[in-house]
Amino acid sequence: MRIDRLIEPEPTSPADIPTEPWEATPGVEGFLLGFFFIGIFLAFLMWAMNRSLRRIKHNAQNEERSAARNTEDSAVKNAAKGSSAPDATKEQDSDSVASSPSGTGNGTESPTG
């Protein structure tokens, strides 16, 4: 018996060790565990996406409200100055169409009178 064999065992490679196919695969447990982690990741991803979409929708609503306030404020300022130009032009247009001599208004007037 040689002493060096007792001190240093011969190196074995993984190819030398006999293995069964069921020992080398993750099996049903690994498959289910993988789906579990994928499900957790997907739930987190959906939660983050919903949060982002809610923020986007909320910000858009706030911008619409502020734009509406700005237009109302400008209309109030124009009315306070006495120059409500858009309202005045609408009234003038409707008066001119109703009293047009050619009868192109609402169709009830005749061209002869």
Side-chain angles (χ1 to χ4, degrees):
M1 189 154 145
R2 295 180 63 185
I3 295 178
D4 62 332
R5 284 191 174 192
L6 294 174
I7 297 171
E8 293 181 29
E10 292 183 14
T12 58
S13 66
D16 296 338
I17 301 171
T19 57
E20 297 293 326
W22 59 270
E23 292 177 333
T25 61
V28 175
E29 298 88 10
F31 181 78
L32 294 176
L33 193 63
F35 266 93
F36 176 73
F37 284 120
I38 289 173
I40 289 175
F41 178 73
L42 184 62
F44 173 74
L45 192 64
M46 289 172 36
W47 172 76
M49 179 61 86
N50 283 333
R51 190 177 75 179
S52 297
L53 290 175
R54 275 187 268 130
R55 283 183 184 171
I56 291 170
K57 185 177 179 180
H58 179 69
N59 289 341
Q61 288 175 348
N62 284 344
E63 287 180 11
E64 288 176 4
R65 289 179 191 150
S66 65
R69 285 184 196 143
N70 289 342
T71 56
E72 288 175 4
D73 290 345
S74 63
V76 168
K77 287 179 183 176
N78 286 340
K81 290 180 183 178
S83 64
S84 59
D87 294 335
T89 55
K90 288 181 184 177
E91 290 175 4
Q92 289 174 358
D93 289 341
S94 64
D95 290 340
S96 65
V97 169
S99 63
S100 65
S102 64
T104 59
N106 57 8
T108 57
E109 301 123 7
S110 65
T112 59

